Amino acid sequence: AIFSSDAAVLDAFVRARLGLCLATISMNLAVVLEGLLMATGRTRAVLLAGLVGSWAGQVPAVALLVVYWRRSLGAVYYGVAVGYALLCAILALALSRLDWDLLVAEALARANGGEVCRGTAEAPREAQGAQAATVEPRRAPARGAEGGGEEAARQ
């Protein structure tokens, strides 16, 4: 036994294995979805989703299951799984509502040293189009063009 050799503790974990499995799977899915949303720069959405998932999902679900279903480790893990499932649903909704064209324009602007559009996925289309239209790739200085030449003038 890793943590305990007490038969009662081991038995409690054996009985809680399905809840533990569901909690672990939903937690790991939430980590992946959070990572995707964070990679788009939507850190505030991740924070708010985490708060809702925890305080409107996990905490009440654990309390309700422990008080009204049974006082067990399994009830705790099922409640945690419910909270993470709610978090996954919120994160998936946030991901599905992203404006991928705007994200591409923001990434291009960052890659090219330009201004990053601070708009959200709900930003007006005109602003998104204007941002995308102003993103131009940078050109490296021409090799061998020291102090002039046709290639340097075009840069």
Side-chain angles (χ1 to χ4, degrees):
I2 296 174
F3 300 108
S4 175
S5 58
D6 185 346
V9 171
L10 295 174
D11 186 52
F13 276 97
V14 167
R15 286 192 313 268
R17 68 184 178 269
L18 180 58
L20 177 59
C21 178
L22 293 173
T24 303
I25 290 170
S26 59
M27 177 184 65
N28 283 292
L29 179 58
V31 169
V32 169
L33 295 174
E34 284 174 342
L36 289 172
L37 207 52
M38 297 261 302
T40 69
R42 300 327 189 250
T43 54
R44 184 174 185 198
V46 173
L47 172 68
L48 295 175
L51 287 172
V52 171
S54 293
W55 293 104
Q58 276 188 23
V59 172
V62 169
L64 288 170
L65 289 172
V66 168
V67 170
Y68 294 109
W69 184 42
R70 61 179 164 189
R71 296 179 65 97
S72 70
L73 194 55
V76 172
Y77 284 126
Y78 281 119
V80 170
V82 167
Y84 275 121
L86 175 62
L87 176 58
C88 288
I90 294 168
L91 293 170
L93 178 66
L95 282 166
S96 72
R97 297 177 54 94
L98 288 176
D99 184 337
W100 293 99
D101 292 330
L102 176 62
L103 294 174
V104 168
E106 289 175 353
L108 285 171
R110 281 191 304 273
N112 293 312
E115 284 292 315
V116 176
C117 178
R118 297 286 179 202
T120 64
E122 292 80 26
R125 282 278 170 203
E126 303 81 41
Q128 294 171 16
Q131 175 65 22
T134 61
V135 176
E136 292 182 19
R138 280 189 176 172
R139 293 193 175 110
R143 290 194 176 138
E146 298 170 10
E150 223 175 74
E151 188 67 23
R154 278 189 270 155
Q155 308 271 323

